[in-house]
mmCIF file with all atom_site columns, all heavy atoms in Angstrom:
data_model
loop_
_atom_site.group_PDB
_atom_site.id
_atom_site.type_symbol
_atom_site.label_atom_id
_atom_site.label_alt_id
_atom_site.label_comp_id
_atom_site.label_asym_id
_atom_site.label_entity_id
_atom_site.label_seq_id
_atom_site.pdbx_PDB_ins_code
_atom_site.Cartn_x
_atom_site.Cartn_y
_atom_site.Cartn_z
_atom_site.occupancy
_atom_site.B_iso_or_equiv
_atom_site.pdbx_formal_charge
_atom_site.auth_seq_id
_atom_site.auth_comp_id
_atom_site.auth_asym_id
_atom_site.auth_atom_id
_atom_site.pdbx_PDB_model_num
ATOM 1   N N   . PHE A 1 10 ? 10.125 17.904 16.957 1.00 87.00 ? 10 PHE A N   1
ATOM 2   C CA  . PHE A 1 10 ? 10.379 18.872 18.017 1.00 87.00 ? 10 PHE A CA  1
ATOM 3   C C   . PHE A 1 10 ? 11.852 19.240 17.956 1.00 87.00 ? 10 PHE A C   1
ATOM 4   O O   . PHE A 1 10 ? 12.729 18.370 17.997 1.00 87.00 ? 10 PHE A O   1
ATOM 5   C CB  . PHE A 1 10 ? 10.049 18.288 19.394 1.00 87.00 ? 10 PHE A CB  1
ATOM 6   C CG  . PHE A 1 10 ? 10.502 19.150 20.547 1.00 87.00 ? 10 PHE A CG  1
ATOM 7   C CD1 . PHE A 1 10 ? 9.975  20.412 20.735 1.00 87.00 ? 10 PHE A CD1 1
ATOM 8   C CD2 . PHE A 1 10 ? 11.467 18.696 21.430 1.00 87.00 ? 10 PHE A CD2 1
ATOM 9   C CE1 . PHE A 1 10 ? 10.389 21.209 21.792 1.00 87.00 ? 10 PHE A CE1 1
ATOM 10  C CE2 . PHE A 1 10 ? 11.890 19.480 22.490 1.00 87.00 ? 10 PHE A CE2 1
ATOM 11  C CZ  . PHE A 1 10 ? 11.349 20.746 22.676 1.00 87.00 ? 10 PHE A CZ  1
ATOM 12  N N   . PRO A 1 12 ? 14.400 21.458 19.942 1.00 77.00 ? 12 PRO A N   1
ATOM 13  C CA  . PRO A 1 12 ? 14.605 22.293 21.131 1.00 77.00 ? 12 PRO A CA  1
ATOM 14  C C   . PRO A 1 12 ? 15.522 23.480 20.888 1.00 77.00 ? 12 PRO A C   1
ATOM 15  O O   . PRO A 1 12 ? 15.360 24.536 21.484 1.00 77.00 ? 12 PRO A O   1
ATOM 16  C CB  . PRO A 1 12 ? 15.203 21.315 22.153 1.00 77.00 ? 12 PRO A CB  1
ATOM 17  C CG  . PRO A 1 12 ? 15.760 20.189 21.341 1.00 77.00 ? 12 PRO A CG  1
ATOM 18  C CD  . PRO A 1 12 ? 14.888 20.080 20.140 1.00 77.00 ? 12 PRO A CD  1
ATOM 19  N N   . ILE A 1 22 ? 8.082  13.523 16.539 1.00 89.00 ? 22 ILE A N   1
ATOM 20  C CA  . ILE A 1 22 ? 7.087  13.326 17.584 1.00 89.00 ? 22 ILE A CA  1
ATOM 21  C C   . ILE A 1 22 ? 5.706  12.980 17.021 1.00 89.00 ? 22 ILE A C   1
ATOM 22  O O   . ILE A 1 22 ? 4.817  12.625 17.789 1.00 89.00 ? 22 ILE A O   1
ATOM 23  C CB  . ILE A 1 22 ? 6.973  14.568 18.487 1.00 89.00 ? 22 ILE A CB  1
ATOM 24  C CG1 . ILE A 1 22 ? 6.518  15.792 17.690 1.00 89.00 ? 22 ILE A CG1 1
ATOM 25  C CG2 . ILE A 1 22 ? 8.279  14.828 19.213 1.00 89.00 ? 22 ILE A CG2 1
ATOM 26  C CD1 . ILE A 1 22 ? 6.124  16.968 18.570 1.00 89.00 ? 22 ILE A CD1 1
ATOM 27  N N   . LEU A 1 38 ? 3.885  10.813 19.640 1.00 86.00 ? 38 LEU A N   1
ATOM 28  C CA  . LEU A 1 38 ? 4.503  10.541 20.927 1.00 86.00 ? 38 LEU A CA  1
ATOM 29  C C   . LEU A 1 38 ? 3.511  10.871 22.035 1.00 86.00 ? 38 LEU A C   1
ATOM 30  O O   . LEU A 1 38 ? 2.917  11.942 22.042 1.00 86.00 ? 38 LEU A O   1
ATOM 31  C CB  . LEU A 1 38 ? 5.761  11.405 21.086 1.00 86.00 ? 38 LEU A CB  1
ATOM 32  C CG  . LEU A 1 38 ? 6.585  11.200 22.365 1.00 86.00 ? 38 LEU A CG  1
ATOM 33  C CD1 . LEU A 1 38 ? 7.230  9.836  22.369 1.00 86.00 ? 38 LEU A CD1 1
ATOM 34  C CD2 . LEU A 1 38 ? 7.632  12.301 22.504 1.00 86.00 ? 38 LEU A CD2 1
ATOM 35  N N   . PRO A 1 47 ? 1.884  11.769 29.588 1.00 73.00 ? 47 PRO A N   1
ATOM 36  C CA  . PRO A 1 47 ? 2.934  12.779 29.716 1.00 73.00 ? 47 PRO A CA  1
ATOM 37  C C   . PRO A 1 47 ? 4.309  12.203 30.006 1.00 73.00 ? 47 PRO A C   1
ATOM 38  O O   . PRO A 1 47 ? 5.322  12.841 29.722 1.00 73.00 ? 47 PRO A O   1
ATOM 39  C CB  . PRO A 1 47 ? 2.440  13.651 30.881 1.00 73.00 ? 47 PRO A CB  1
ATOM 40  C CG  . PRO A 1 47 ? 1.577  12.738 31.685 1.00 73.00 ? 47 PRO A CG  1
ATOM 41  C CD  . PRO A 1 47 ? 0.898  11.846 30.681 1.00 73.00 ? 47 PRO A CD  1
ATOM 42  N N   . LEU A 1 50 ? 7.293  11.915 27.445 1.00 70.00 ? 50 LEU A N   1
ATOM 43  C CA  . LEU A 1 50 ? 8.175  13.036 27.116 1.00 70.00 ? 50 LEU A CA  1
ATOM 44  C C   . LEU A 1 50 ? 9.584  12.848 27.656 1.00 70.00 ? 50 LEU A C   1
ATOM 45  O O   . LEU A 1 50 ? 10.481 13.624 27.330 1.00 70.00 ? 50 LEU A O   1
ATOM 46  C CB  . LEU A 1 50 ? 7.597  14.344 27.667 1.00 70.00 ? 50 LEU A CB  1
ATOM 47  C CG  . LEU A 1 50 ? 6.202  14.712 27.162 1.00 70.00 ? 50 LEU A CG  1
ATOM 48  C CD1 . LEU A 1 50 ? 5.758  16.031 27.779 1.00 70.00 ? 50 LEU A CD1 1
ATOM 49  C CD2 . LEU A 1 50 ? 6.181  14.805 25.643 1.00 70.00 ? 50 LEU A CD2 1
ATOM 50  N N   . ARG A 1 51 ? 9.770  11.829 28.476 1.00 67.00 ? 51 ARG A N   1
ATOM 51  C CA  . ARG A 1 51 ? 11.116 11.601 29.036 1.00 67.00 ? 51 ARG A CA  1
ATOM 52  C C   . ARG A 1 51 ? 12.163 11.349 27.965 1.00 67.00 ? 51 ARG A C   1
ATOM 53  O O   . ARG A 1 51 ? 13.351 11.547 28.199 1.00 67.00 ? 51 ARG A O   1
ATOM 54  C CB  . ARG A 1 51 ? 11.076 10.418 30.013 1.00 67.00 ? 51 ARG A CB  1
ATOM 55  C CG  . ARG A 1 51 ? 10.292 10.699 31.279 1.00 67.00 ? 51 ARG A CG  1
ATOM 56  C CD  . ARG A 1 51 ? 10.148 9.452  32.117 1.00 67.00 ? 51 ARG A CD  1
ATOM 57  N NE  . ARG A 1 51 ? 9.473  8.389  31.379 1.00 67.00 ? 51 ARG A NE  1
ATOM 58  C CZ  . ARG A 1 51 ? 9.089  7.245  31.927 1.00 67.00 ? 51 ARG A CZ  1
ATOM 59  N NH1 . ARG A 1 51 ? 9.305  7.028  33.188 1.00 67.00 ? 51 ARG A NH1 1
ATOM 60  N NH2 . ARG A 1 51 ? 8.477  6.326  31.213 1.00 67.00 ? 51 ARG A NH2 1
ATOM 61  N N   . VAL A 1 52 ? 11.737 10.914 26.784 1.00 63.00 ? 52 VAL A N   1
ATOM 62  C CA  . VAL A 1 52 ? 12.706 10.609 25.725 1.00 63.00 ? 52 VAL A CA  1
ATOM 63  C C   . VAL A 1 52 ? 13.145 11.861 24.985 1.00 63.00 ? 52 VAL A C   1
ATOM 64  O O   . VAL A 1 52 ? 14.063 11.805 24.169 1.00 63.00 ? 52 VAL A O   1
ATOM 65  C CB  . VAL A 1 52 ? 12.113 9.593  24.715 1.00 63.00 ? 52 VAL A CB  1
ATOM 66  C CG1 . VAL A 1 52 ? 11.704 8.318  25.423 1.00 63.00 ? 52 VAL A CG1 1
ATOM 67  C CG2 . VAL A 1 52 ? 10.933 10.186 23.968 1.00 63.00 ? 52 VAL A CG2 1
ATOM 68  N N   . LEU A 1 53 ? 12.491 13.000 25.250 1.00 70.00 ? 53 LEU A N   1
ATOM 69  C CA  . LEU A 1 53 ? 12.803 14.222 24.510 1.00 70.00 ? 53 LEU A CA  1
ATOM 70  C C   . LEU A 1 53 ? 13.836 15.057 25.251 1.00 70.00 ? 53 LEU A C   1
ATOM 71  O O   . LEU A 1 53 ? 13.661 15.369 26.427 1.00 70.00 ? 53 LEU A O   1
ATOM 72  C CB  . LEU A 1 53 ? 11.546 15.069 24.305 1.00 70.00 ? 53 LEU A CB  1
ATOM 73  C CG  . LEU A 1 53 ? 10.487 14.539 23.347 1.00 70.00 ? 53 LEU A CG  1
ATOM 74  C CD1 . LEU A 1 53 ? 9.317  15.506 23.289 1.00 70.00 ? 53 LEU A CD1 1
ATOM 75  C CD2 . LEU A 1 53 ? 11.057 14.329 21.963 1.00 70.00 ? 53 LEU A CD2 1
ATOM 76  N N   . PRO A 1 54 ? 14.907 15.464 24.571 1.00 64.00 ? 54 PRO A N   1
ATOM 77  C CA  . PRO A 1 54 ? 15.865 16.381 25.193 1.00 64.00 ? 54 PRO A CA  1
ATOM 78  C C   . PRO A 1 54 ? 15.321 17.805 25.171 1.00 64.00 ? 54 PRO A C   1
ATOM 79  O O   . PRO A 1 54 ? 14.524 18.173 24.311 1.00 64.00 ? 54 PRO A O   1
ATOM 80  C CB  . PRO A 1 54 ? 17.097 16.262 24.284 1.00 64.00 ? 54 PRO A CB  1
ATOM 81  C CG  . PRO A 1 54 ? 16.515 15.947 22.933 1.00 64.00 ? 54 PRO A CG  1
ATOM 82  C CD  . PRO A 1 54 ? 15.307 15.090 23.201 1.00 64.00 ? 54 PRO A CD  1
ATOM 83  N N   . GLY A 1 55 ? 15.742 18.599 26.138 1.00 60.00 ? 55 GLY A N   1
ATOM 84  C CA  . GLY A 1 55 ? 15.413 20.019 26.126 1.00 60.00 ? 55 GLY A CA  1
ATOM 85  C C   . GLY A 1 55 ? 13.998 20.356 26.524 1.00 60.00 ? 55 GLY A C   1
ATOM 86  O O   . GLY A 1 55 ? 13.520 21.453 26.244 1.00 60.00 ? 55 GLY A O   1
ATOM 87  N N   . VAL A 1 56 ? 13.286 19.423 27.186 1.00 64.00 ? 56 VAL A N   1
ATOM 88  C CA  . VAL A 1 56 ? 11.926 19.689 27.644 1.00 64.00 ? 56 VAL A CA  1
ATOM 89  C C   . VAL A 1 56 ? 11.981 20.029 29.123 1.00 64.00 ? 56 VAL A C   1
ATOM 90  O O   . VAL A 1 56 ? 12.396 19.201 29.936 1.00 64.00 ? 56 VAL A O   1
ATOM 91  C CB  . VAL A 1 56 ? 11.000 18.480 27.405 1.00 64.00 ? 56 VAL A CB  1
ATOM 92  C CG1 . VAL A 1 56 ? 9.604  18.773 27.953 1.00 64.00 ? 56 VAL A CG1 1
ATOM 93  C CG2 . VAL A 1 56 ? 10.931 18.153 25.928 1.00 64.00 ? 56 VAL A CG2 1
ATOM 94  N N   . SER A 1 57 ? 11.576 21.237 29.467 1.00 58.00 ? 57 SER A N   1
ATOM 95  C CA  . SER A 1 57 ? 11.642 21.673 30.854 1.00 58.00 ? 57 SER A CA  1
ATOM 96  C C   . SER A 1 57 ? 10.531 21.028 31.665 1.00 58.00 ? 57 SER A C   1
ATOM 97  O O   . SER A 1 57 ? 9.479  20.654 31.144 1.00 58.00 ? 57 SER A O   1
ATOM 98  C CB  . SER A 1 57 ? 11.535 23.193 30.949 1.00 58.00 ? 57 SER A CB  1
ATOM 99  O OG  . SER A 1 57 ? 10.304 23.634 30.396 1.00 58.00 ? 57 SER A OG  1
ATOM 100 N N   . GLU A 1 58 ? 10.770 20.904 32.965 1.00 58.00 ? 58 GLU A N   1
ATOM 101 C CA  . GLU A 1 58 ? 9.768  20.337 33.853 1.00 58.00 ? 58 GLU A CA  1
ATOM 102 C C   . GLU A 1 58 ? 8.515  21.217 33.850 1.00 58.00 ? 58 GLU A C   1
ATOM 103 O O   . GLU A 1 58 ? 8.594  22.434 33.893 1.00 58.00 ? 58 GLU A O   1
ATOM 104 C CB  . GLU A 1 58 ? 10.337 20.241 35.265 1.00 58.00 ? 58 GLU A CB  1
ATOM 105 C CG  . GLU A 1 58 ? 9.415  19.558 36.264 1.00 58.00 ? 58 GLU A CG  1
ATOM 106 C CD  . GLU A 1 58 ? 10.047 19.410 37.629 1.00 58.00 ? 58 GLU A CD  1
ATOM 107 O OE1 . GLU A 1 58 ? 11.249 19.704 37.752 1.00 58.00 ? 58 GLU A OE1 1
ATOM 108 O OE2 . GLU A 1 58 ? 9.335  19.013 38.563 1.00 58.00 ? 58 GLU A OE2 1
ATOM 109 N N   . GLY A 1 59 ? 7.371  20.581 33.792 1.00 60.00 ? 59 GLY A N   1
ATOM 110 C CA  . GLY A 1 59 ? 6.123  21.326 33.776 1.00 60.00 ? 59 GLY A CA  1
ATOM 111 C C   . GLY A 1 59 ? 5.654  21.717 32.391 1.00 60.00 ? 59 GLY A C   1
ATOM 112 O O   . GLY A 1 59 ? 4.609  22.347 32.244 1.00 60.00 ? 59 GLY A O   1
ATOM 113 N N   . ALA A 1 60 ? 6.435  21.335 31.363 1.00 66.00 ? 60 ALA A N   1
ATOM 114 C CA  . ALA A 1 60 ? 6.060  21.713 29.996 1.00 66.00 ? 60 ALA A CA  1
ATOM 115 C C   . ALA A 1 60 ? 5.156  20.683 29.338 1.00 66.00 ? 60 ALA A C   1
ATOM 116 O O   . ALA A 1 60 ? 4.808  20.827 28.171 1.00 66.00 ? 60 ALA A O   1
ATOM 117 C CB  . ALA A 1 60 ? 7.308  21.910 29.145 1.00 66.00 ? 60 ALA A CB  1
ATOM 118 N N   . ASP A 1 61 ? 4.751  19.651 30.079 1.00 71.00 ? 61 ASP A N   1
ATOM 119 C CA  . ASP A 1 61 ? 3.956  18.600 29.453 1.00 71.00 ? 61 ASP A CA  1
ATOM 120 C C   . ASP A 1 61 ? 2.614  19.114 28.940 1.00 71.00 ? 61 ASP A C   1
ATOM 121 O O   . ASP A 1 61 ? 2.054  18.573 27.996 1.00 71.00 ? 61 ASP A O   1
ATOM 122 C CB  . ASP A 1 61 ? 3.749  17.419 30.410 1.00 71.00 ? 61 ASP A CB  1
ATOM 123 C CG  . ASP A 1 61 ? 3.068  17.827 31.710 1.00 71.00 ? 61 ASP A CG  1
ATOM 124 O OD1 . ASP A 1 61 ? 3.408  18.880 32.243 1.00 71.00 ? 61 ASP A OD1 1
ATOM 125 O OD2 . ASP A 1 61 ? 2.202  17.072 32.178 1.00 71.00 ? 61 ASP A OD2 1
ATOM 126 N N   . TRP A 1 62 ? 2.101  20.205 29.541 1.00 73.00 ? 62 TRP A N   1
ATOM 127 C CA  . TRP A 1 62 ? 0.813  20.722 29.074 1.00 73.00 ? 62 TRP A CA  1
ATOM 128 C C   . TRP A 1 62 ? 0.922  21.242 27.641 1.00 73.00 ? 62 TRP A C   1
ATOM 129 O O   . TRP A 1 62 ? -0.050 21.169 26.874 1.00 73.00 ? 62 TRP A O   1
ATOM 130 C CB  . TRP A 1 62 ? 0.312  21.835 30.012 1.00 73.00 ? 62 TRP A CB  1
ATOM 131 C CG  . TRP A 1 62 ? 1.112  23.092 29.967 1.00 73.00 ? 62 TRP A CG  1
ATOM 132 C CD1 . TRP A 1 62 ? 2.191  23.405 30.715 1.00 73.00 ? 62 TRP A CD1 1
ATOM 133 C CD2 . TRP A 1 62 ? 0.884  24.214 29.097 1.00 73.00 ? 62 TRP A CD2 1
ATOM 134 N NE1 . TRP A 1 62 ? 2.671  24.652 30.383 1.00 73.00 ? 62 TRP A NE1 1
ATOM 135 C CE2 . TRP A 1 62 ? 1.883  25.174 29.401 1.00 73.00 ? 62 TRP A CE2 1
ATOM 136 C CE3 . TRP A 1 62 ? -0.056 24.509 28.112 1.00 73.00 ? 62 TRP A CE3 1
ATOM 137 C CZ2 . TRP A 1 62 ? 1.957  26.400 28.733 1.00 73.00 ? 62 TRP A CZ2 1
ATOM 138 C CZ3 . TRP A 1 62 ? 0.022  25.727 27.456 1.00 73.00 ? 62 TRP A CZ3 1
ATOM 139 C CH2 . TRP A 1 62 ? 1.016  26.650 27.775 1.00 73.00 ? 62 TRP A CH2 1
ATOM 140 N N   . VAL A 1 63 ? 2.112  21.768 27.270 1.00 77.00 ? 63 VAL A N   1
ATOM 141 C CA  . VAL A 1 63 ? 2.301  22.253 25.901 1.00 77.00 ? 63 VAL A CA  1
ATOM 142 C C   . VAL A 1 63 ? 2.186  21.086 24.927 1.00 77.00 ? 63 VAL A C   1
ATOM 143 O O   . VAL A 1 63 ? 1.487  21.167 23.904 1.00 77.00 ? 63 VAL A O   1
ATOM 144 C CB  . VAL A 1 63 ? 3.666  22.942 25.750 1.00 77.00 ? 63 VAL A CB  1
ATOM 145 C CG1 . VAL A 1 63 ? 3.893  23.372 24.302 1.00 77.00 ? 63 VAL A CG1 1
ATOM 146 C CG2 . VAL A 1 63 ? 3.772  24.130 26.688 1.00 77.00 ? 63 VAL A CG2 1
ATOM 147 N N   . PHE A 1 64 ? 2.855  19.988 25.254 1.00 82.00 ? 64 PHE A N   1
ATOM 148 C CA  . PHE A 1 64 ? 2.825  18.822 24.370 1.00 82.00 ? 64 PHE A CA  1
ATOM 149 C C   . PHE A 1 64 ? 1.437  18.173 24.375 1.00 82.00 ? 64 PHE A C   1
ATOM 150 O O   . PHE A 1 64 ? 1.022  17.590 23.369 1.00 82.00 ? 64 PHE A O   1
ATOM 151 C CB  . PHE A 1 64 ? 3.896  17.827 24.792 1.00 82.00 ? 64 PHE A CB  1
ATOM 152 C CG  . PHE A 1 64 ? 5.277  18.264 24.415 1.00 82.00 ? 64 PHE A CG  1
ATOM 153 C CD1 . PHE A 1 64 ? 6.014  19.074 25.264 1.00 82.00 ? 64 PHE A CD1 1
ATOM 154 C CD2 . PHE A 1 64 ? 5.839  17.900 23.200 1.00 82.00 ? 64 PHE A CD2 1
ATOM 155 C CE1 . PHE A 1 64 ? 7.285  19.503 24.910 1.00 82.00 ? 64 PHE A CE1 1
ATOM 156 C CE2 . PHE A 1 64 ? 7.100  18.328 22.840 1.00 82.00 ? 64 PHE A CE2 1
ATOM 157 C CZ  . PHE A 1 64 ? 7.823  19.140 23.696 1.00 82.00 ? 64 PHE A CZ  1
ATOM 158 N N   . PHE A 1 97 ? 8.662  23.516 16.543 1.00 87.00 ? 97 PHE A N   1
ATOM 159 C CA  . PHE A 1 97 ? 8.087  22.371 15.861 1.00 87.00 ? 97 PHE A CA  1
ATOM 160 C C   . PHE A 1 97 ? 8.229  22.590 14.354 1.00 87.00 ? 97 PHE A C   1
ATOM 161 O O   . PHE A 1 97 ? 7.945  23.677 13.849 1.00 87.00 ? 97 PHE A O   1
ATOM 162 C CB  . PHE A 1 97 ? 6.614  22.190 16.237 1.00 87.00 ? 97 PHE A CB  1
ATOM 163 C CG  . PHE A 1 97 ? 6.410  21.918 17.690 1.00 87.00 ? 97 PHE A CG  1
ATOM 164 C CD1 . PHE A 1 97 ? 6.269  22.972 18.591 1.00 87.00 ? 97 PHE A CD1 1
ATOM 165 C CD2 . PHE A 1 97 ? 6.379  20.626 18.176 1.00 87.00 ? 97 PHE A CD2 1
ATOM 166 C CE1 . PHE A 1 97 ? 6.089  22.733 19.943 1.00 87.00 ? 97 PHE A CE1 1
ATOM 167 C CE2 . PHE A 1 97 ? 6.204  20.376 19.525 1.00 87.00 ? 97 PHE A CE2 1
ATOM 168 C CZ  . PHE A 1 97 ? 6.066  21.432 20.419 1.00 87.00 ? 97 PHE A CZ  1
#
Side-chain angles (χ1 to χ4, degrees):
F10 170 64
I22 62 169
L38 183 68
L50 301 180
R51 292 173 301 188
V52 302
L53 290 179
V56 178
S57 60
E58 185 177 352
D61 58 319
W62 69 271
V63 177
F64 285 87
F97 298 88

